[in-house]
Amino acid sequence: MEPEGGGRSLAFRALQNRSHEKTKLRKRKSTLYVSAQDKNRRRGDLIGENIYLVLFTIALRIFNCFLVQTSFVPDEYWQSLEVAHHMVFNYGYMTWEWTERLRGYTYPLIFASIYKILHLLGKDSVQLLIWTPRLAQALLSALADMRLYSLMKQLENQEVARWVFFCQLCSWFTWYCCTRTLTNTMETGLTIIALFYYPLEGSKSINSVKYSSLVALAFIIRPTAVIPWMPLLFRHFWQEQRKADLILYHFLPVGFVTLSLSLIIDRIFFGQWTVVQFNFLKFNVLQNLGTFYGSHPWHWYFSQGFPVVLGTHLPFFIHGCFLAPKRYQILLVTVLWTLIIYSMLGHKEFRFIYPVLPFCMVFCGYSLAHLKTWKKTVLSFLFLSNMFLALYTGLVHQRGTLDVMSHIQKVCYNSTNKSSASIFVMMPCHSTPYYSHVHCPLPMRFLQCPPDLTGKSQYLDEADTFYLNPLIWLHKELPDDASLPTHLIIFNVLEEEISTFLISRNYERTAVFFHTHLPEGRTGSHIYVYERRVKWGTQQKMKF
């Protein structure tokens, strides 16, 4: 009986095993089927988001790029495009920061690579040299916008993410800056993308290596990029259970690789080993010599800078600070920390706090998501007010310095002998771009303004000396016909003061360009181009 019962038992177990095998096979088949469904669903995705939303964002930023036709600050040309032009085409002007090795070649190398490709393809026209780098910056900004949207979907829900996305896209200052070739723009884009991988509570895309690599790259490009990341890095270290592993296997290797890359790039172009990040921080932070280019009171960021950058988003930012969950406190701390640290420095600019503006959009979007009444009115107000500022600053305010460069292009390409034409830009130093916007080896000169690094008490740069008494300076610097340029470029506020010189040297006004409705100091509302009228054969080559 036992063998018979044992046989039944074995048979029953075998039947069970077959049943389990069938069940497993069915389960495996079901899993494969679901995976195929996911793949079909994700075919319409790009970088993890709906392809139509991604393409819309890219198209918007490209549109944004072409609707920004004004100048903001000299660094968007002189610390990027001018350096890149010199690297590829071997002519141009390098400012004092490069002789003092305060700037690194990593950021200009990006645009130099674009220029080199265009040159090899025989497509290095001046318009492509101007717009291609800006289009590249626009694509980075579009990617950053999408990463901010994706992050908010993970942390909250699609509704909140949409409002944050709306605030980010309609921010006038973001529109004004996000396609410019400024290190601040690159820093902001890298900061947003890095935040996507940062270990925020609720995030599903945490990756310490990726976010620390992006932060390190931002630091290499602009050393002050570490300022907004200090609270975030400290928080990550404080909450990390394996602190030694985080330092030894994430932060140190990433820091070593990126710093080594920076050192090698700068070694190639400077010809010697240089830690430009230390030089930059020493000059701007430790020695605070940036005040040579202007200073503001300690409260400027709180009383003027931050409110202007936020614009009409300000009340919604304040409202969102009270509504947002506790996990967003680190973002608010980062914003306040950045404002406080930059307030300690004498030299202040709006663009310095641009990297924390997307952090503020999180609170603005949270505010809009929780509005119960007047939502359509509020949205219309936000959109229209920001678009007015964006279009005015992008198409009208300070456009003359770019328009006049288009005129110089025509002067160059219409001259049978390029050395016969010459330009003298008699405006505050670095008011205009230079060879990157002309792309022609035309003799050009501008009033220079390097800071005093020797400690002189009564130091005046060339531009300051000129504006003390322009007429005396001109007679001294341009004493004869051989030294006179064929074209002078000035702001209208200078015309009356040097009119006798212009008349005596046979200069006639040939072009006028609107610049701004808000002239200030040495900057006028219009830019005048004067051309010297001389008899055929009497013009001599300008001695610069």
Side-chain angles (χ1 to χ4, degrees):
M1 297 294 291
E2 285 181 8
E4 188 176 344
R8 288 196 191 100
S9 178
L10 288 172
F12 180 74
R13 287 176 186 171
L15 187 61
Q16 278 187 319
N17 288 338
R18 287 194 192 104
S19 177
H20 282 309
E21 285 176 8
K22 288 180 181 179
T23 303
K24 288 179 182 177
L25 285 172
R26 280 196 294 269
K27 185 177 180 182
R28 190 178 299 167
K29 183 178 179 181
S30 177
T31 302
L32 290 172
Y33 177 72
V34 172
S35 178
Q37 277 186 325
D38 288 341
K39 286 180 181 178
N40 288 332
R41 179 175 56 81
R42 290 175 182 173
R43 281 174 186 170
D45 291 357
L46 190 64
I47 62 170
E49 292 298 339
N50 182 278
I51 190 170
Y52 297 109
L53 182 62
V54 175
L55 292 177
F56 165 76
T57 307
I58 292 172
L60 179 68
R61 286 309 179 201
I62 292 174
F63 184 60
N64 182 172
C65 178
F66 288 114
L67 284 183
V68 175
Q69 301 173 19
T70 56
S71 61
F72 181 19
V73 289
D75 279 8
E76 63 183 301
Y77 316 113
W78 292 90
Q79 306 303 340
S80 54
L81 301 186
E82 296 302 331
V83 181
H85 190 277
H86 189 275
M87 291 167 70
V88 176
F89 301 106
N90 297 315
Y91 69 92
Y93 184 88
M94 303 285 280
T95 60
W96 64 272
E97 290 100 328
W98 298 92
T99 57
E100 297 295 328
R101 298 189 295 279
L102 295 182
R103 304 278 184 172
Y105 278 94
T106 305
Y107 185 58
L109 185 60
I110 298 171
F111 303 123
S113 302
I114 295 173
Y115 283 178
K116 190 66 177 179
I117 293 170
L118 292 173
H119 178 62
L120 292 174
L121 295 175
K123 300 296 183 180
D124 55 323
S125 66
V126 64
Q127 291 302 319
L128 284 178
L129 294 183
I130 292 171
W131 289 104
T132 308
R134 292 196 53 201
L135 287 170
Q137 200 75 65
L139 292 177
L140 175 69
S141 296
L143 175 60
D145 293 335
M146 290 309 307
R147 284 308 187 203
L148 182 62
Y149 173 74
S150 300
L151 177 63
M152 292 311 300
K153 271 208 313 184
Q154 294 176 16
L155 298 180
E156 292 293 334
N157 52 57
Q158 194 166 27
E159 183 185 1
V160 175
R162 284 172 177 172
W163 293 123
V164 173
F165 193 56
F166 169 79
C167 291
Q168 173 72 2
L169 293 186
C170 81
S171 166
W172 82 270
F173 196 75
T174 297
W175 180 279
Y176 186 56
C177 293
C178 73
T179 64
R180 296 184 183 275
T181 51
L182 281 165
T183 54
N184 309 90
T185 302
M186 178 66 77
E187 174 192 352
T188 303
L190 293 175
T191 294
I192 300 174
I193 300 171
L195 192 66
F196 177 75
Y197 298 107
Y198 179 79
L200 287 170
E201 182 184 345
S203 176
K204 300 173 184 176
S205 53
I206 297 171
N207 190 312
S208 297
V209 173
K210 287 184 178 180
Y211 102 75
S212 56
S213 299
L214 291 165
V215 172
L217 179 58
F219 172 76
I220 293 302
I221 290 173
R222 187 171 181 84
T224 50
V226 76
I227 291 175
W229 276 99
M230 282 181 177
L232 293 162
L233 291 169
F234 179 77
R235 174 189 176 274
H236 184 191
F237 177 77
W238 183 263
Q239 294 185 343
E240 179 63 42
Q241 293 181 350
R242 298 180 178 180
K243 292 179 172 56
D245 289 350
L246 180 66
I247 298 296
L248 293 175
Y249 301 117
H250 293 88
F251 289 171
L252 285 181
V254 165
F256 176 78
V257 171
T258 50
L259 186 59
S260 298
L261 181 63
S262 173
L263 286 171
I264 292 170
I265 292 172
D266 291 329
R267 173 68 177 82
I268 293 171
F269 291 101
F270 281 122
Q272 64 185 78
W273 294 107
T274 305
V275 184
V276 294
Q277 292 77 25
F278 173 75
N279 295 339
F280 182 89
L281 291 172
K282 180 182 176 183
F283 180 87
N284 289 287
V285 179
L286 301 179
Q287 297 178 339
N288 202 22
L289 293 176
T291 54
F292 178 80
Y293 294 106
S295 61
H296 295 86
W298 67 267
H299 57 78
W300 185 82
Y301 279 120
F302 292 95
S303 60
Q304 297 179 52
F306 189 62
V308 168
V309 167
L310 268 180
T312 52
H313 283 89
L314 182 59
F316 305 100
F317 167 73
I318 297 172
H319 182 232
C321 289
F322 289 102
L323 291 178
K326 188 177 180 180
R327 64 175 174 269
Y328 294 119
Q329 284 183 354
I330 183 59
L331 300 183
L332 183 58
V333 168
T334 300
V335 172
L336 293 174
W337 164 266
T338 303
L339 293 176
I340 290 170
I341 294 300
Y342 276 120
S343 294
M344 295 178 182
L345 304 177
H347 182 59
K348 300 175 177 65
E349 294 186 37
F350 294 110
R351 61 190 174 105
F352 292 170
I353 58 173
Y354 175 38
V356 297
L357 183 59
F359 291 35
C360 301
M361 296 300 107
V362 172
F363 297 97
C364 295
Y366 208 85
S367 170
L368 292 181
H370 289 80
L371 282 181
K372 303 300 181 184
T373 58
W374 300 96
K375 183 168 280 191
K376 289 185 178 180
T377 304
V378 166
L379 294 180
S380 299
F381 167 72
L382 264 181
F383 178 78
L384 293 175
S385 59
N386 277 275
M387 282 303 99
F388 170 77
L389 287 171
L391 293 175
Y392 177 76
T393 55
L395 295 173
V396 180
H397 181 60
Q398 295 186 171
R399 70 167 298 135
T401 50
L402 293 182
D403 291 340
V404 76
M405 298 311 289
S406 299
H407 182 79
I408 294 176
Q409 294 169 24
K410 296 174 184 177
V411 169
C412 178
Y413 292 109
N414 291 339
S415 299
T416 53
N417 182 8
K418 290 180 173 55
S419 62
S420 65
S422 52
I423 311 293
F424 193 177
V425 182
M426 294 196 304
M427 298 192 291
C429 68
H430 306 130
S431 291
T432 66
Y434 218 44
Y435 285 102
S436 67
H437 281 57
V438 178
H439 194 46
C440 173
L442 188 70
M444 293 199 295
R445 178 182 176 182
F446 66 95
L447 298 171
Q448 299 185 36
C449 57
D452 174 41
L453 302 176
T454 61
K456 294 180 182 178
S457 57
Q458 301 295 325
Y459 173 77
L460 288 176
D461 58 47
E462 184 180 46
D464 286 336
T465 305
F466 169 79
Y467 279 104
L468 281 177
N469 197 319
L471 204 55
I472 293 177
W473 190 93
L474 285 170
H475 284 296
K476 181 180 178 181
E477 289 289 322
L478 307 174
D480 50 40
D481 288 347
S483 62
L484 293 174
T486 59
H487 295 76
L488 295 176
I489 301 174
I490 64 171
F491 278 119
N492 61 305
V493 293
L494 187 64
E495 183 184 45
E496 185 177 352
E497 196 166 355
I498 65 170
S499 58
T500 56
F501 175 85
L502 296 173
I503 294 171
S504 63
R505 297 298 192 272
N506 299 317
Y507 282 103
E508 293 181 8
R509 190 199 303 170
T510 55
V512 178
F513 300 97
F514 171 80
H515 183 60
T516 179
H517 289 112
L518 305 170
E520 182 181 1
R522 299 170 180 175
T523 302
S525 60
H526 290 77
I527 294 175
Y528 294 161
V529 178
Y530 277 87
E531 184 176 353
R532 190 162 185 255
R533 303 298 189 186
V534 293
K535 293 181 180 180
W536 177 258
T538 61
Q539 177 65 42
Q540 301 181 48
K541 186 177 179 180
M542 183 181 182
K543 296 179 181 178
F544 269 163

